[in-house]
Amino acid sequence: MGKDVNQGTFTREDRSRYRHKVRRCLDVFALMLNDFHFDADRPTTGLEIELNLMDGDGQPAMRNAEVLADLADPSYQTELGQFNLEINVRPRLISRYGFDDYENDLRASFANADERARKHDANLVLIGILPTLTQQHTVLDNISANPRYRVLNEQIVNARGEDFRLDIRGADRLQTLADSIAPEAACTSVQFHLQVAPEAFANHWNAAQAIAGIQVAIGANSPYLFGRQLWAETRIAVFEQATDTRPDELKAQGVRPRVWFGERWITSIFDLFEENVRYFPPLLPIVEDEDPVEVLDAGGVPRLGELRLHNGTIYRWNRPVYDIMNGRPHLRVENRVLPAGPTVVDMLANAAFYFGLVRALAEADRPVWSQLTFSAAEENFHVCARDGIEASVWWPRVGEVKVTDLVLERLLPKAYDGLDRFGVDPAIRDRLLGVIEGRCLARRNGAVWQVQTVRSVAARRRLGRTPALREMLLRYSAQLHTNEPVHTWPIG
């Protein structure tokens, strides 16, 4: 969905042509999986990080166009809301000192971007949901100017045919309606990309699905929305509800949601792309000139543009990716479950835990998904989004267990092993996974810090929820520049 979209009106003929073309792409993709050489000799990783902009008073700053123009950095681009930015970090190997390279690049890039943002009375904030955001901020007028967002909004709204309903029950309850997908702009995330060989893709995707709940519990950082305390990772519920194209009747019929955990373990990446084509009507039926059969027959690498665009409008929490780099095709698992922030080191600790654990599980003699039902993995995911670091999950050979105990006793050792298989420098490995251990021992992640700080500030200074959220956000903003992990931040 990163491509520009300028066409705003689609005919029945457009949809028919697109459906035919995307199925043609799927057939070519199947042939490629059987006979083509995909780039997987030295599997790289990648990061995408979404950011918020706030002003000096802690309010959302609708200034992404001005900041981007001043920044003039192609790695940054717009996101859905005018108070959002996204950075696409240069892919790299994580062997040896790769994580240090990520950290140095990110800190330098964020410092530069923040300096440019200050010229426009704004600051960068790495946080899952801005706690000072209100419903008045998440309206159609505040969607970014790029035409693709308006077109996407129009297509999703038309597919749904009625207002979007947000109904989230946590410590508080939120019930509201929206006439656009603008509330989804509240959600900012970090996405981890892992390049894998075709024959290894299913194992890596299954492993990523199995641990998605664990990731969310340990990394939760979105407890507030519109002034209410909801889930530890409210972002999950918001994204699922704010872009749901199904009215109640289609939900009752079992129609799949476009924000989707999935429904089964897979044996090939083809399973996921085939589900995309079988279950989901096109949102953006834009047909390219390429004939993928002709390109393949001529010995070229097909772009498969329609298949890729369709895939980009189906928001799996672990998404399959087909891409081309330097003329060679490759496959990636895109892990989309985690919020942005709180600090660069926190995000890289989450990345190290994910990359290491997924590799260890994917290469295990007895796969965890052969012992875990898919429905249990999905249940774990939503329980962890709701309860965060206090969650309990079901895990094979353990049964019901606290997430923190499961990570400390069973999963962290596997993550260490997986990072060793990648060839990560031991000192870097120990530092980053030490952050995960510290969070589990302290039972404090970004969501816990936010909630505890709001309560402390409100009690000490006798503040209501709104000013307490603002004060917490200003403290959060100051702390994130220290690059100290969130479980060490002071409260009070």
Side-chain angles (χ1 to χ4, degrees), residues 127-393:
I127 195 167
I129 295 176
L130 270 177
T132 53
L133 200 69
T134 68
Q135 287 177 262
Q136 288 68 43
H137 294 126
T138 55
V139 294
L140 188 59
D141 285 347
N142 289 334
I143 286 181
S144 291
N146 190 312
R148 76 172 181 261
Y149 300 118
R150 302 282 173 156
V151 174
L152 184 63
N153 174 74
E154 181 180 330
Q155 296 305 307
I156 291 178
V157 168
N158 289 344
R160 182 173 175 85
E162 60 187 49
D163 286 347
F164 298 90
R165 181 182 299 110
L166 295 183
D167 187 353
I168 307 171
R169 306 182 192 203
D172 303 325
R173 185 175 184 182
L174 173 68
Q175 289 181 296
T176 190
L177 296 174
D179 61 1
S180 73
I181 63 171
E184 196 271 312
C187 308
T188 49
S189 65
V190 57
Q191 291 130 43
F192 304 141
H193 290 256
L194 179 60
Q195 184 180 331
V196 293
E199 63 274 13
F201 185 93
N203 280 10
H204 283 80
W205 188 86
N206 289 341
Q209 290 285 100
I211 67 166
I214 313 300
Q215 287 181 269
V216 170
I218 300 304
N221 194 32
S222 311
Y224 294 103
L225 177 66
F226 301 159
R228 291 175 173 84
Q229 182 188 340
L230 301 170
W231 292 8
E233 191 46 45
T234 303
R235 203 184 101 262
I236 301 297
V238 174
F239 196 28
E240 290 181 339
Q241 296 180 24
T243 55
D244 196 344
T245 57
R246 307 167 303 159
D248 290 343
E249 294 81 4
L250 292 185
K251 293 179 187 178
Q253 293 173 35
V255 172
R256 279 84 173 170
R258 294 191 90 98
V259 179
W260 198 28
F261 189 82
E263 61 191 17
R264 59 173 176 146
W265 305 118
I266 65 169
T267 58
S268 166
I269 187 175
F270 184 81
D271 296 345
L272 302 177
F273 281 101
E274 192 271 336
E275 285 179 347
N276 289 354
V277 175
R278 178 153 44 105
Y279 294 143
F280 298 99
L283 282 181
L284 302 171
I286 300 169
V287 176
E288 299 185 3
D289 293 333
E290 177 191 75
D291 184 330
V293 174
E294 289 183 1
V295 174
L296 187 65
D297 288 345
V301 179
R303 279 182 36 80
L304 307 182
E306 292 79 9
L307 191 70
R308 293 162 71 185
L309 178 58
H310 190 50
N311 185 51
T313 63
I314 298 157
Y315 304 98
R316 296 177 185 271
W317 293 109
N318 284 291
R319 177 188 275 165
V321 176
Y322 165 83
D323 207 350
I324 301 169
M325 183 68 68
N326 299 322
R328 297 185 67 186
H330 68 263
L331 306 177
R332 303 195 303 268
V333 178
E334 180 189 9
N335 178 254
R336 302 161 46 82
V337 306
L338 286 176
T343 64
V344 170
V345 73
D346 280 306
M347 292 189 294
L348 291 179
N350 292 338
F353 181 65
Y354 168 75
F355 289 135
L357 183 55
V358 161
R359 177 155 186 178
L361 293 177
E363 296 177 356
D365 292 334
R366 187 178 180 193
V368 66
W369 54 94
S370 69
Q371 309 162 65
L372 178 70
T373 66
F374 198 90
S375 60
E378 184 174 13
E379 176 69 13
N380 285 348
F381 179 66
H382 287 101
V383 166
C384 288
R386 186 189 67 217
D387 298 342
I389 207 163
E390 296 297 328
S392 293
V393 297

